Amino acid sequence: MKLAFLVLCFGILVGPPVVAGEDAVPPRTHQGWGWLVEKLVADGLDRERVTRVFDDPRLGPFTGLEFSLAPREPHSLYRRFLQPVSVAAARRCRATHASVLDAAERASGVPANVVAAILHVETGCGRNTGSSLVLRGLARLAMANEPATVGENVARIAGACSSDAGVVAAVRARAKYLEDTFYPEVRAAFALAGQLGVDPLDLRGSASGAIGCPQFLPSSYLRYGIDGGGDGRIDPYDVADAAASCANFLAAHGWQGNLSERARRTVLWQYNRSDAYVDTVLRLARAMDGGGSGKPAAVCAPVANRRTGARVARQTAGVPERRPR
């Protein structure tokens, strides 16, 4: 009786009972990625290439995705970047790469200090670009709107027998937003891998799918990537290319000379949709000019070192608010 009641309640939440036929939720094939595989193939990607990637043990199985309705990044997440030792490291980044940062400023109009601040906050000026499988991070988020994943999150967030249609609608809207945001990035990851001449599973970066020194999403590299080093190749792990690409992104989103503080914030919001992040980048950029480091935190967490010999190689797991680049 209790089981039947729960099944009835769950049916109210996610729709009529699943039956055989066109309304049935498809089984999770290809290590659980089957829904995404079929979507990619329907969009024109080669089935053999896609299935080979999603059947590869290196990718691992899809084991579900729990997401929040309105995640936010706390200011405490970035507090360490305004510590004196961090400001000093950002200044070293600015000085070490002065030529490429100044060149990017001349070409785009974006201050070198702003670009240096972003590179420092994102990856310690290229020293910590991440070692997670980019495709897995993006694919997990792209699976948000898979029917079974939506149902699991409706049950978790709304409750097994909630009648709050607003919450259910909010879960569905969030799932659709994540799919619309990250599914194109999965496609872009395949395209970027082809451009770099590597296997999609060789792309390494943050757990949520950002790569290279400025932690771009793959589509941003395809759209805004610039060969800042002049070697005929756009390398996301090369600081010269990263600086030029980062500046190009900001310029393309409206950065120009004599912007007001509010306008600068609006542009940086497009880079990372987090007030805490925007505050940190602007304060750090000012601090590099001797404008102070802001209120310090109690402890400074050092940036982890990383070997960058492999040209295709940070961030937290889960579903972040940040929509990196």
Side-chain angles (χ1 to χ4, degrees):
M1 183 67 178
K2 182 176 180 181
L3 176 59
F5 177 70
L6 289 176
V7 170
L8 175 62
C9 293
F10 189 75
I12 293 173
L13 282 173
V14 300
V18 173
V19 295
E22 63 178 8
D23 293 330
V25 175
R28 283 178 168 168
T29 57
H30 300 293
Q31 300 193 94
W33 303 104
W35 180 82
L36 184 56
V37 167
E38 295 305 320
K39 188 173 176 67
L40 289 165
V41 172
D43 275 352
L45 272 70
D46 179 72
R47 178 177 291 277
E48 183 178 354
R49 184 187 185 204
V50 172
T51 55
R52 176 182 57 78
V53 168
F54 284 95
D55 287 343
D56 195 306
R58 290 177 296 169
L59 186 67
F62 175 69
T63 55
L65 173 72
E66 293 186 358
F67 53 80
S68 300
L69 296 184
R72 297 181 62 187
E73 289 187 328
H75 278 76
S76 59
L77 184 63
Y78 296 99
R79 195 174 295 148
R80 68 186 186 275
F81 293 109
L82 299 175
Q83 287 278 1
V85 66
S86 176
V87 174
R91 287 180 177 140
R92 288 194 297 273
C93 176
R94 172 70 177 89
T96 300
H97 303 288
S99 61
V100 298
L101 289 166
D102 290 340
E105 179 174 348
R106 288 192 298 271
S108 66
V110 179
N113 278 12
V114 171
V115 175
I118 289 174
L119 297 181
H120 174 68
V121 171
E122 292 292 347
T123 60
C125 206
R127 291 183 292 124
N128 182 28
T129 59
S131 58
S132 298
L133 270 66
V134 163
L135 188 64
R136 177 174 176 81
L138 296 172
R140 285 186 70 250
L141 295 169
M143 287 282 287
N145 207 30
E146 180 219 18
T149 301
V150 173
E152 291 161 3
N153 280 278
V154 166
R156 179 179 59 83
I157 294 173
C161 196
S162 172
S163 60
D164 189 339
V167 174
V168 176
V171 172
R172 294 184 181 278
R174 178 64 175 168
K176 185 65 167 59
Y177 167 80
L178 290 171
E179 178 194 19
D180 290 346
T181 300
F182 291 100
Y183 172 71
E185 299 301 336
V186 174
R187 293 197 59 179
F190 276 88
L192 179 60
Q195 181 174 297
L196 295 175
V198 300
D199 188 289
L201 294 177
D202 288 334
L203 294 172
R204 299 299 177 112
S206 76
S208 53
I211 60 178
C213 302
Q215 293 288 272
F216 271 2
L217 288 177
S219 67
S220 290
Y221 269 111
L222 296 175
R223 189 175 307 152
Y224 304 109
I226 288 183
D227 175 19
D231 61 358
R233 174 181 170 88
I234 302 173
D235 185 349
Y237 304 97
D238 180 77
V239 175
D241 293 358
S245 301
C246 178
N248 186 43
F249 178 102
L250 297 177
H253 285 81
W255 195 293
Q256 50 187 283
N258 301 316
L259 282 183
S260 67
E261 182 77 0
R262 181 175 182 178
R264 290 185 172 204
R265 294 183 62 84
T266 298
V267 174
L268 285 169
W269 177 265
Q270 299 304 313
Y271 198 89
N272 184 356
R273 297 175 184 179
S274 161
D275 286 326
Y277 179 91
V278 172
D279 288 342
T280 300
V281 167
L282 290 174
R283 290 168 68 182
L284 184 58
R286 288 194 297 268
M288 279 190 272
D289 275 333
S293 62
K295 184 178 179 180
V299 178
C300 177
V303 176
N305 287 319
R306 172 188 171 274
R307 293 180 59 188
T308 57
R311 305 305 285 173
V312 279
R314 162 198 93 92
Q315 217 154 315
T316 56
V319 184
E321 170 68 14
R322 59 190 288 125
R323 185 224 189 299
R325 302 45 90 189

